[in-house]
Amino acid sequence: ALDEVMELELVGDLDLSDIKQRIQLQMPVGMDLLSLEKQVGKTRLLGATYCMHIPQEVVQATQQRIDEILEAGSIQVLRDDKPVECSCSDTHFEIKLEGNKLVFSIPAAEFGTSLRPSELLQQLHLESLLSDGTLLSRTHVHLEQKTPQHSSVSRVAADQ
């Protein structure tokens, strides 16, 4: 993952620069602290963006499948014999090709179950790429601030 979020609930008025320095000393090699922000409220996950490179020979078929999904307006899968649905009209849903790079965002369900990246890849007939060693990277975590409360949100990234 290139973008991770860690939420800390702090008690009292603490110096963020001191906290940032302490966290950076504890970070594993290859990870960087991108930001540390004081938030008022609880942070809610809205969704996440992913990318992966696909072989050139499947680009055209993948674009055709993307067009079919967007035209259908939603993705529906069965997980443990229960339906999971993701609306293509959700503001945090996106799927596109940039050359041979597949970029997609999946919204987090406010209620119920969210679509998994592997389930979207199955809908695109690309599920075998992961087992063949293709790297799927989470590039961004989308957040929203909610109810009053004091906390800090840290964003961290790992080198590729």
Side-chain angles (χ1 to χ4, degrees):
L2 302 177
D3 189 26
E4 291 290 339
V5 174
M6 174 177 59
E7 187 173 9
L8 305 171
E9 190 169 325
L10 305 175
V11 178
D13 193 25
L14 301 170
D15 178 26
L16 286 186
S17 61
D18 179 53
I19 293 170
K20 183 176 182 177
Q21 186 178 19
R22 288 190 207 179
I23 291 172
Q24 285 175 320
L25 289 172
Q26 307 266 338
M27 298 289 288
V29 174
M31 291 191 86
D32 296 314
L33 181 60
L34 300 177
S35 68
L36 179 65
E37 304 163 9
K38 193 172 210 171
Q39 303 281 323
V40 177
K42 198 77 175 146
T43 304
R44 183 173 71 90
L45 176 67
L46 297 174
T49 300
Y50 302 84
C51 76
M52 71 184 298
H53 287 86
I54 63 173
Q56 190 61 44
E57 59 269 14
V58 299
V59 167
Q60 186 175 3
T62 301
Q63 184 60 61
Q64 185 175 25
R65 188 67 187 123
I66 289 171
D67 294 342
E68 291 168 2
I69 288 170
L70 293 174
E71 187 176 316
S74 68
I75 299 170
Q76 293 137 3
V77 299
L78 280 178
R79 185 184 313 146
D80 301 325
D81 294 323
K82 295 178 185 168
V84 175
E85 186 171 0
C86 178
S87 172
C88 298
S89 63
D90 188 292
T91 57
H92 297 285
F93 179 84
E94 179 181 38
I95 184 168
K96 63 184 179 181
L97 283 173
E98 296 173 352
N100 72 326
K101 182 168 75 169
L102 175 66
V103 178
F104 61 93
S105 296
I106 299 176
E110 192 168 353
F111 304 103
T113 306
S114 301
L115 187 70
R116 295 177 180 159
S118 60
E119 292 167 334
L120 178 59
L121 293 175
Q122 284 178 323
Q123 296 295 304
L124 296 170
H125 308 295
L126 298 174
E127 66 273 14
S128 66
L129 293 179
L130 293 178
S131 59
D132 291 344
T134 300
L135 181 65
L136 173 66
S137 297
R138 182 176 46 242
T139 58
H140 189 71
V141 176
H142 308 275
L143 302 173
E144 174 185 75
Q145 195 175 319
K146 251 182 149 175
T147 59
Q149 196 176 58
H150 292 288
S151 63
S152 287
V153 175
S154 302
R155 292 187 92 92
V156 296
D159 294 336
Q160 284 240 277

